[in-house]
Amino acid sequence: MAVTGFWIISSNAIQNTFEQQAGQWMNKLDELSTPLYVSQDINEFTAIENYINNYSEVSYLKFYKADGVGVLAEYIASSSADLDVPVFNKSVFDDFTRTELKNGRAISNVITVQHSLMRMIAPVSIVSMRADEMLDFDMDDSAAESVEVIGYIDMGLDFSSHQSHLVDNIIKGSFFFAILFCIAAVIGRQLTTNALKPLLDLREPLNRLAQGDTDVWVSKNGDEEIVAISNALNATINAIKGRDAELRRLADYDALTGLINKRSFNNLLEQEKQRVVKEKDKSALFFIDLDQFKYVNDTLGHASGDRLLVQIAELLKKRMRTDDVVCRLGGDEFAVLAKSVDKSGAIEIANSIVKSMYDFLFIEQGKTFNIYCSVGAALIEADKQSAEEAFSNADMACYNAKSQGRNRFHLYEAQANDENKLDIGWSHRIAEALANDKFVLHYQPIVGVEEGGIPSYEALLRMIGEEGELVPPNLFIPVAERFGLATEIDYWVIRHSMKALEALNNEGRRVRFYVNLSGQLLVDPDFVNRVVRTFNEYDIDASQVVFELTERAAVGNIYNASQKMVRLQSYGFQFAVDDFGSGFSSFSYLKNMPVEYVKIEGEFVERILEDKIDRALVKSMVDIAKACGKKVVAEYVGDQETYDLLKSYGIDYAQGFFIAKPSADVVRGNTDPVLPENVTALKTHQG
């Protein structure tokens, strides 16, 4: 690019130089030719020839007469004898003004492409003043002068020798510049390479870092700026290492207690099962559930509950052997894996855990609490169940310990527990039903005692048995809860309830569904998001869904439950507390529980006509619920007399076999369940 620019500039400079030189010669010839044109004597041309002989560049010279045809004098150099000179045409000057003719106007015309031969033509003119104004003339008045063209000069100039010499110099200069640039490029590249070498040295550690390898260190070489970059990269690598270490810790350990979490524990449990099989050994697994944690958490607050969990974790770590593994499963549940332990050793360890917890005192805010526990133990043996089954066995054993009165342990023994075997079989059937969509929903009407409102139904789950029969939920829900399958069943019910609502909306039948949720769903961190995602898939209103939670489930985890309930209520969903009155603290929690509906425990309603205590309890429940701004639903309404009594107490809705039995007809669009003829108000609301 530099050489090309050099050529262009040099070429333009040569052209300008030739034109300036030619212009100077033309002006001189104009001056010398005046005597020739005035005298019309060819002898006057001698002075001109003497002048032009001094310049070898002049190829030819012609002096045309005023008519532009006749030649007054001419000169042709011997080297240009064969030159074909174009015919001169004076019309090219017709458009020039008098002032331009007076001052002379040279026209240059390039004959050859190489700019070596140049033709220049100029008029020869004389200026005279008008005779009648000689005594009163004005030097600035151009009108007082007359300009007359008396001839034309046509000159050809050959600059080829000069141009050749200049071109040779340009070529030499071009090579010089090219060599100079090449040397500069080589030196510059070397200097750049040396200057950038510290940066190039960063390439390998950066590539390793990009591939996830944080075991790198950037050397600090080069200029101050490179050292600053190296320091920044090393600081970044250290930060990434720290972050990765923290993420690994969070992934493998419980953030509160520092114990390993359930995910890591499951991996260790699987490894231990493989070791037991390989070495034909035995180990024991313990499932530990605190008996008084909820009371402490609700009484003193979550911060105190967290401190209790930390102390329990320390207690278990001190109690167990060095090779044993202690895990926090979540909430107030812990697990322990004791290696190389037989049945008697498992019983001894389980008994010692119960005793240690019995002797433990939790002191907080000036109060002392006894914290007991229920322990389930299961052996891991080489020729028996898998690691997953061992965990389920320990869980079921803990459930049995709690059922037997808490503050004790229970050892799982397969041979003596046919019910546990049955549970495992049921768990497989439930998992298969989830995988193959072998559930159906039936719907039982919930009607208002006053007119108005949209029809409501409780969605009731049924499982399709192996022979196509319908299996009631009381046979499979407890097993599903013990084996951790209740959550997925809940999501199945939520999805299919919303799907049924959309189908009814499309038919022009707007109804509301009451959907039951298990307590396990409340501890699922993705509960709200999954419900909202499912809701967004269907064309329904959130107000058409009322989620039912049992009192025990809602109160058992009141803080987390309330937070999630409020989030869903912000979308328009509603909540009902089911089996109200079955717990011990119903009234104390009802005031702040974020629910719109209260469903009274059916056992009280069933006996309301025979038992005055049940009547008093039901009436108090209705009064308190109404005082808290809740609507009351009475379940298990079996006859007209029960309905009338409940209506007099102020219930808002009724549900039971007296109203209608559960049916799938509402979804299929068939006729709604037939109501008793004497329940006129109820029939009006059936829709």
Side-chain angles (χ1 to χ4, degrees):
M1 291 176 62
V3 171
T4 301
F6 177 66
W7 270 88
I8 293 173
I9 293 173
S10 300
S11 178
N12 290 334
I14 293 172
Q15 178 72 16
N16 292 334
T17 301
F18 289 168
E19 289 180 355
Q20 291 176 5
Q21 184 64 47
Q24 293 175 4
W25 287 338
M26 185 61 76
N27 292 333
K28 184 65 175 178
L29 290 173
D30 184 21
E31 179 184 338
L32 295 175
S33 65
T34 301
L36 175 65
Y37 278 100
V38 172
S39 65
Q40 297 290 310
D41 185 359
I42 193 64
N43 292 324
E44 296 292 338
F45 187 64
T46 303
I48 298 174
E49 277 188 309
N50 292 333
Y51 174 75
I52 61 176
N53 283 330
N54 295 323
Y55 303 100
S56 60
E57 293 88 351
V58 179
S59 296
Y60 74 90
L61 179 64
K62 291 186 178 182
F63 292 91
Y64 287 93
K65 295 180 180 180
D67 59 5
V69 177
V71 178
L72 184 61
E74 65 177 349
Y75 165 82
I76 298 176
S78 59
S79 60
S80 302
D82 298 330
L83 181 63
D84 185 13
V85 179
V87 177
F88 169 67
N89 184 2
K90 75 169 186 174
S91 63
V92 296
F93 295 100
D94 292 344
D95 295 330
F96 287 99
T97 64
R98 184 172 61 253
T99 302
E100 290 172 331
L101 293 174
K102 169 187 172 183
N103 296 330
R105 174 91 178 209
I107 300 176
S108 62
N109 184 21
V110 177
I111 294 178
T112 63
V113 178
Q114 293 80 7
H115 297 185
S116 60
L117 185 61
M118 181 179 298
R119 183 187 188 191
M120 299 195 72
I121 306 172
V124 179
S125 59
I126 59 175
V127 180
S128 60
M129 291 180 292
R130 289 197 297 269
D132 58 348
E133 296 179 2
M134 290 186 65
L135 298 178
D136 188 21
F137 65 92
D138 185 353
M139 297 296 292
D140 296 327
D141 185 7
S142 60
E145 300 174 342
S146 64
V147 179
E148 179 183 1
V149 177
I150 60 175
Y152 302 92
I153 302 174
D154 183 358
M155 180 174 63
L157 301 172
D158 182 5
F159 292 109
S160 58
S161 60
H162 298 285
Q163 183 174 5
S164 176
H165 178 70
L166 290 173
V167 168
D168 288 342
N169 290 335
I170 292 174
I171 292 174
K172 293 177 182 178
S174 299
F175 278 113
F176 172 76
F177 276 116
I179 293 172
L180 183 62
F181 275 111
C182 289
I183 294 173
V186 172
I187 296 175
R189 179 176 177 81
Q190 186 62 38
L191 293 175
T192 304
T193 301
N194 292 338
L196 296 180
K197 186 178 184 304
L199 280 178
L200 296 176
D201 291 340
L202 300 177
R203 182 165 52 188
E204 181 182 355
L206 287 177
N207 287 336
R208 291 173 58 188
L209 185 62
Q211 296 171 3
D213 181 10
T214 57
D215 191 20
V216 295
W217 184 258
V218 179
S219 59
K220 303 176 182 179
N221 298 323
D223 296 333
E224 181 179 351
E225 293 81 0
I226 306 298
V227 173
I229 294 174
S230 300
N231 289 333
L233 286 174
N234 287 328
T236 302
I237 293 170
N238 287 333
I240 293 174
K241 284 182 178 180
R243 182 206 63 184
D244 291 347
E246 180 64 16
L247 289 176
R248 284 192 294 270
R249 189 187 70 81
L250 292 175
D252 296 334
Y253 292 88
D254 176 56
L256 177 63
T257 63
L259 301 176
I260 67 170
N261 57 24
K262 186 176 181 180
R263 186 186 71 87
S264 298
F265 187 77
N266 287 339
N267 294 335
L268 292 175
L269 190 60
E270 187 63 39
Q271 295 173 11
E272 180 62 14
K273 174 61 181 178
Q274 295 175 5
R275 187 196 69 81
V276 167
V277 172
K278 181 179 179 180
E279 300 179 7
K280 295 184 171 24
D281 196 4
K282 291 182 180 181
S283 293
L285 176 63
F286 303 92
F287 193 101
I288 304 167
D289 185 79
L290 304 183
D291 295 334
Q292 304 297 324
F293 176 75
K294 177 182 175 301
Y295 177 75
V296 172
N297 209 39
D298 293 343
T299 304
L300 302 181
H302 295 283
S304 297
D306 288 345
R307 283 189 286 271
L308 171 59
L309 292 175
V310 172
Q311 293 184 30
I312 295 298
E314 291 298 322
L315 176 67
L316 291 174
K317 285 194 295 185
K318 291 178 180 179
R319 165 62 192 83
M320 305 312 296
R321 301 169 301 175
T322 304
D323 293 339
D324 297 337
V325 180
V326 182
C327 162
R328 184 191 176 200
L329 299 175
D332 61 343
E333 296 178 340
F334 295 83
V336 174
L337 174 61
K339 301 179 181 180
S340 300
V341 173
D342 56 13
K343 179 179 178 179
S344 61
I347 293 174
E348 180 182 352
I349 293 174
N351 191 44
S352 68
I353 293 175
V354 173
K355 185 178 184 305
S356 298
M357 293 297 298
Y358 183 84
D359 296 335
F360 171 72
L361 294 177
F362 179 60
I363 303 174
E364 182 77 5
Q365 299 181 13
K367 299 179 182 179
T368 303
F369 298 87
N370 292 104
I371 307 299
Y372 304 137
C373 71
S374 300
V375 179
L379 292 177
I380 304 173
E381 301 178 274
D383 56 348
K384 295 191 178 178
Q385 73 282 342
S386 64
E388 181 180 356
E389 291 172 336
F391 191 90
S392 298
N393 293 340
D395 187 8
M396 286 187 290
C398 182
Y399 179 82
N400 289 333
K402 294 170 69 174
S403 301
Q404 294 168 10
R406 302 177 182 268
N407 190 30
R408 64 189 66 226
F409 74 89
H410 182 82
L411 178 65
Y412 176 87
E413 295 185 275
Q415 294 82 357
N417 199 334
D418 292 337
E419 183 180 350
N420 288 338
K421 292 182 179 180
L422 182 62
D423 283 351
I424 294 175
W426 269 107
S427 71
H428 292 308
R429 292 177 61 184
I430 295 170
E432 182 182 358
L434 283 170
N436 299 312
D437 213 23
K438 291 185 177 181
F439 289 105
V440 294
L441 291 176
H442 283 199
Y443 304 89
Q444 186 174 29
I446 301 174
V447 295
V449 298
E450 302 293 340
E451 294 187 4
I454 67 173
S456 300
Y457 299 84
E458 181 176 359
L460 300 170
L461 182 66
R462 306 287 186 265
M463 188 172 77
I464 302 175
E466 296 177 353
E467 303 299 328
E469 75 280 9
L470 293 181
V471 181
N474 62 298
L475 294 182
F476 62 85
I477 290 298
V479 179
E481 291 177 343
R482 287 199 293 273
F483 282 86
L485 298 172
T487 298
E488 291 305 317
I489 291 178
D490 285 338
Y491 286 129
W492 189 97
V493 174
I494 292 171
R495 176 175 293 279
H496 285 77
S497 296
M498 292 182 177
K499 181 178 180 181
L501 283 171
E502 183 182 58
L504 290 170
N505 287 348
N506 292 337
E507 295 175 7
R509 306 179 62 203
R510 185 178 178 84
V511 301
R512 177 185 292 119
F513 282 171
Y514 284 68
V515 180
N516 291 282
L517 303 179
S518 70
Q520 292 183 2
L521 199 63
L522 295 177
V523 298
D524 181 5
D526 200 33
F527 166 53
V528 175
N529 292 333
R530 286 189 65 172
V531 170
V532 174
R533 285 198 300 268
T534 304
F535 166 68
N536 289 332
E537 295 177 14
Y538 299 100
D539 186 17
I540 64 172
D541 291 332
S543 60
Q544 293 181 262
V545 179
V546 179
F547 291 120
E548 285 191 25
L549 293 168
T550 65
E551 179 191 350
R552 188 179 302 276
V555 174
N557 196 2
I558 186 65
Y559 179 74
N560 289 331
S562 297
Q563 283 188 319
K564 293 175 180 178
M565 292 163 69
V566 170
R567 285 180 61 191
L568 287 175
Q569 284 173 331
S570 68
Y571 288 93
F573 295 102
Q574 301 181 73
F575 281 87
V577 57
D578 197 10
D579 299 337
F580 184 72
S582 61
F584 300 101
S585 306
S586 303
F587 295 158
S588 63
Y589 283 104
L590 183 61
K591 179 180 179 181
N592 298 316
M593 192 179 297
V595 297
E596 288 82 6
Y597 302 91
V598 173
K599 300 186 76 172
I600 298 175
E601 166 64 39
E603 292 183 2
F604 298 114
V605 176
E606 283 184 314
R607 300 190 299 265
I608 194 173
L609 297 177
E610 296 83 15
D611 193 321
K612 63 180 181 179
I613 296 178
D614 285 343
R615 285 198 298 274
L617 286 173
V618 170
K619 188 175 188 310
S620 65
M621 291 180 201
V622 174
D623 291 342
I624 292 175
K626 300 290 281 187
C628 293
K630 318 294 184 184
K631 295 182 180 180
V632 180
V633 182
E635 297 182 294
Y636 287 49
V637 179
D639 52 47
Q640 182 72 49
E641 189 176 0
T642 301
Y643 169 77
D644 291 338
L645 181 59
L646 290 168
K647 183 177 179 181
S648 69
Y649 287 169
I651 66 169
D652 299 287
Y653 300 93
Q655 177 183 1
F657 283 0
F658 173 66
I659 310 301
K661 292 183 178 181
S663 171
D665 291 344
V666 64
V667 175
R668 293 197 295 268
N670 297 344
T671 304
D672 292 322
V674 178
L675 306 179
E677 292 296 333
N678 56 345
V679 190
T680 306
L682 301 183
K683 290 184 67 177
T684 304
H685 291 82
Q686 200 48 55

